[in-house]
Amino acid sequence: MSAAFVVEAVDAIMSAALANLDGLEVVELLSPARSAFGIAFDLTDQFKSTPRTGVQSQARARLEGYVSTPVKEGQPKSPAGDSLPRLLSEGRAAKLHIENEAKRQAAECARAKEVERARSLSDWLKGKVSHALEKRKDLLAEVSQKAKMHAEAVEGTLRRVQEAEEHRTRRPSRAS
């Protein structure tokens, strides 16, 4: 399909749709605003303001009613500082406190085990590092000793070569 054919088909569909809307009232939803950068559309003022500002939905009124409802007479208030709902019985509250304490102790135990494990791993790692440093020091001492022996051997060979060279250079001068 060519682009021209598609454009013609879209134009035909749009004109047919607009012909069906002749008798309907037109509501302007967007207002075009021109600027140097092009055309931008903005919602019309009709949709920006809420015409039903004083109206509350039934659900909203019910929810706000829960917040503002005073405490009913005859119902005891919860004890001061008690965060548990008053619907819980004393036994249930005590059971929950015991469960919470057990969870807190289990968490402390797990934290202590993790700290001990971390300390143990740290000590093990420090031991490995110190062992590696000792091995490195021993290896460097061995390499240094070998290098010293090699340097002495090279110096000895160099001295012998120089002595032999001097000895050769002295011999021809005696013959003359």
Side-chain angles (χ1 to χ4, degrees):
M1 265 201 298
S2 69
F5 180 72
V6 172
V7 171
E8 288 176 20
V10 169
D11 285 341
I13 293 170
M14 289 297 292
S15 62
L18 290 175
N20 292 339
L21 297 176
D22 285 340
L24 297 176
E25 181 181 326
V26 177
V27 176
E28 185 178 353
L29 298 177
L30 299 174
S31 61
R34 295 186 185 275
S35 71
F37 301 109
I39 297 176
F41 290 93
D42 192 19
L43 287 176
T44 58
D45 291 335
Q46 176 185 1
F47 291 99
K48 286 183 182 177
S49 63
T50 55
R52 300 174 47 184
T53 54
V55 179
Q56 278 188 338
S57 68
Q58 290 178 354
R60 177 86 179 182
R62 189 172 55 247
L63 287 173
E64 288 178 358
Y66 288 142
V67 173
S68 62
T69 320
V71 176
K72 294 180 184 176
E73 293 182 25
Q75 285 187 346
K77 285 190 171 183
S78 62
D82 186 13
S83 61
L84 292 173
R86 58 181 164 256
L87 298 176
L88 295 176
S89 66
E90 292 292 324
R92 175 101 171 109
K95 181 180 175 185
L96 289 175
H97 283 297
I98 291 170
E99 287 176 1
N100 287 342
E101 182 65 23
K103 289 176 186 176
R104 187 187 60 75
Q105 288 177 355
E108 284 180 10
C109 181
R111 235 180 269 119
K113 285 181 181 178
E114 186 61 31
V115 167
E116 177 61 28
R117 181 178 173 272
R119 189 189 59 75
S120 168
L121 288 174
S122 176
D123 292 345
W124 176 79
L125 188 60
K126 285 178 185 175
K128 288 291 187 180
V129 168
S130 65
H131 180 69
L133 287 174
E134 288 176 19
K135 283 183 78 174
R136 182 177 184 269
K137 188 187 277 187
D138 292 343
L139 185 63
L140 287 175
E142 184 181 325
V143 167
S144 176
Q145 185 66 27
K146 286 182 181 179
K148 185 178 177 184
M149 290 173 52
H150 177 71
E152 289 174 358
V154 168
E155 285 178 12
T157 305
L158 187 59
R159 243 183 281 133
R160 276 182 276 164
V161 168
Q162 286 176 350
E163 287 174 4
E165 192 70 32
E166 286 177 10
H167 194 31
R168 271 192 245 154
T169 54
R170 276 191 258 166
R171 271 193 184 179
S173 57
R174 281 189 190 169
S176 37

